[in-house]
Amino acid sequence: RDGFADAAERFTEGLIQQLGHHSFFQGICRQLVAAAPKYLREEVPSVVVHGDFAPRNILVANNSRVTVFDTQRRWRAPLYEDLAYFLMSLKTPGPQVRSQGSLFSSRQLAAWESQFLSAYFHPGPVPLSAVRLYECLLTLEWWAAINFRQSAGTLTQRTSLALSNRYLSRYV
C-alpha cells in the first residue's frame, strides 16, 4: 500500500512538471493516497502477472473457452495491476482516445468490464475499489510516459498527444 501511494505521488509530480495543472493533479493524488488505506490491505497480495494483459492477448473459441497468450514476460506484482492494465487497455485504445470516447459507449465499456471482473473473481465479490485505484495509478503512469515521449514530436504526434491529454483528464 505504501508503494502505491509513493507511485501516485511520483506520477502526479511528473505530470505536473510536464503539463502544469498543479491543482488538478494534486487533487487526484490526494484522493488516491486517501483511498489507499480504505481499499487496499497494508500488504497488497502479489501474483504472477502477464505484464501487458490486454484484449489483444485473449482468444475466445466458439465454445466460449477463453485462452490468454503471450505470457513470456511474467513476474510478481500486485494482484490488481494486471487487471487494471487490462481495463485501461479496454477503455483507452487509440481509436477510442482519438474519437474522444465515441467509438464505444460508456454503457458498453461498463458491461464488458463487469463481465470480465465478475468472471475473474467468480464466485467471490469483485474488489472494484481496489481495482479502480490501480486503474487510476496505471493511467497516470501511462499518461506521464506518453507526454514524456511525444512532447517534442511532429505536428501529428502533438495533435494525438493533445487528444490523449483531453481524454485522459476525463478518464482519470
Side-chain angles (χ1 to χ4, degrees):
R1 183 173 62 203
D2 291 341
F4 174 91
D6 290 343
E9 290 169 355
R10 283 193 319 271
F11 295 140
T12 54
E13 185 57 39
L15 284 161
I16 289 168
Q17 290 175 7
Q18 292 171 346
L19 300 174
H21 311 294
H22 187 272
S23 60
F24 174 74
F25 289 113
Q26 281 298 322
I28 290 170
C29 186
R30 277 192 303 276
Q31 289 177 19
L32 290 173
V33 170
K38 185 174 181 180
Y39 298 113
L40 299 175
R41 292 188 242 159
E42 188 171 337
E43 293 294 324
V44 176
S46 68
V47 297
V48 174
V49 297
H50 185 270
D52 68 342
F53 191 29
R56 68 181 175 273
N57 297 127
I58 295 176
L59 294 174
V60 180
N62 289 340
N63 65 358
S64 298
R65 181 177 177 182
V66 176
T67 303
V68 177
F69 62 96
D70 185 24
T71 57
Q72 62 186 353
R73 297 180 301 181
R74 292 174 284 173
W75 60 86
R76 292 188 74 75
L79 166 67
Y80 309 113
E81 191 171 292
D82 246 8
L83 300 175
Y85 192 98
F86 181 88
L87 294 175
M88 190 181 77
S89 297
L90 178 72
K91 297 176 191 177
T92 62
Q96 180 75 351
V97 172
R98 286 189 291 281
S99 71
Q100 295 296 290
S102 63
L103 182 62
F104 302 113
S105 71
S106 56
R107 184 181 318 171
Q108 181 63 64
L109 291 170
W112 288 338
E113 175 187 70
S114 177
Q115 291 168 359
F116 170 74
L117 291 174
S118 294
Y120 187 90
F121 288 102
H122 182 77
V126 174
L128 188 57
S129 296
V131 172
R132 284 278 184 267
L133 287 174
Y134 273 87
E135 188 178 358
C136 286
L137 184 68
L138 288 178
T139 301
L140 292 173
E141 178 183 18
W142 184 66
W143 197 354
I146 63 169
N147 274 278
F148 179 77
R149 284 192 315 261
Q150 295 182 1
S151 60
T154 66
L155 177 60
T156 302
Q157 289 171 323
R158 289 192 314 272
T159 301
S160 176
L161 183 60
L163 290 170
S164 295
N165 287 333
R166 185 177 319 144
Y167 185 77
L168 293 171
S169 67
R170 290 192 318 264
Y171 177 70
V172 167

